[in-house]
Amino acid sequence: MWDSTTKMAKLITNGIESKDVNVRLMNTRKCHRSDIITQVMEAGAIVVVGSPTLNNNIFPVIYDIMTYIKGLRPKNKIAAAFGSYGWSGEAVKILNKKFLEMKLDVIDDGLRVQYVPNENDLNKCFDLGVKIAETLKEKLL
Ligand SMILES: Cc1cc2nc3c(=O)[nH]c(=O)nc-3n(C[C@H](O)[C@H](O)[C@H](O)COP(=O)(O)O)c2cc1C
């Protein structure tokens, strides 16, 4: 809605890249669902999904994409969720539940930031990116 989740995504991306792991940031406003799903299925072993909380739920376009990903039964992938929220912040919890239903390997409780991320929050996003990259490297060894 106001790009707070996008700001988080960019720092997670930077953290992943800092460990020389290829990452593709895909914005649901700009990328077609089919392109996102193709990238998810071709990715080495990773699904990272961010969503703000909207009316105690995940964003509708993220719900749409998660439904399609689930239908394709991705295997052997790690997952992590993140998102900005205002007061109740259910989105990350809902995403984690969906990951588990898909039997993905959820490597982190997920990162929630209230409203606009500050410098400390952005550092945590970067660190999550590093964790994702390191887990991925270990998995592929
Ligand atoms: C219509 C609307 C409904 C919202 N509903 C919730 C909600 O149920 N729970 C919550 O924690 N935040 C809610 N929020 C607040 C947003 O999650 C918060 O502003 C967040 O920072 C937006 O992130 P974004 O800039 O990445 O979209 C709502 C915001 C709007 C505009």
Side-chain angles (χ1 to χ4, degrees), residues 12-62:
I12 293 169
T13 302
N14 291 350
I16 295 173
E17 282 172 338
S18 76
K19 293 287 163 188
D20 294 324
V21 169
N22 286 334
V23 55
R24 180 136 181 225
L25 177 56
M26 303 193 84
N27 185 329
T28 51
R29 279 208 196 109
K30 296 176 188 158
C31 303
H32 191 269
R33 172 212 288 149
S34 305
D35 295 330
I36 294 175
I37 290 162
T38 302
Q39 289 295 322
V40 167
M41 297 312 284
E42 287 178 359
I46 189 157
V47 184
V48 184
V49 181
S51 174
T53 298
L54 178 78
N55 299 333
N56 305 106
N57 216 319
I58 56 178
F59 220 51
V61 67
I62 299 293

Side-chain angles (χ1 to χ4, degrees), residues 1-5 52-56 84-90 115:
M1 292 177 274
W2 293 282
D3 282 339
S4 290
T5 305
T53 298
L54 178 78
N55 299 333
N56 305 106
S84 173
Y85 71 102
W87 47 94
S88 52
E90 288 90 344
Y115 294 114

Side-chain angles (χ1 to χ4, degrees), residues 12 16 21 46 48 78-80 107-108 125 127-137:
I12 293 169
I16 295 173
V21 169
I46 189 157
V48 184
I78 62 172
I107 64 148
D108 192 273
C125 293
D127 291 346
L128 176 60
V130 169
K131 181 177 177 181
I132 290 162
E134 285 175 342
T135 309
L136 187 58
K137 281 183 173 180

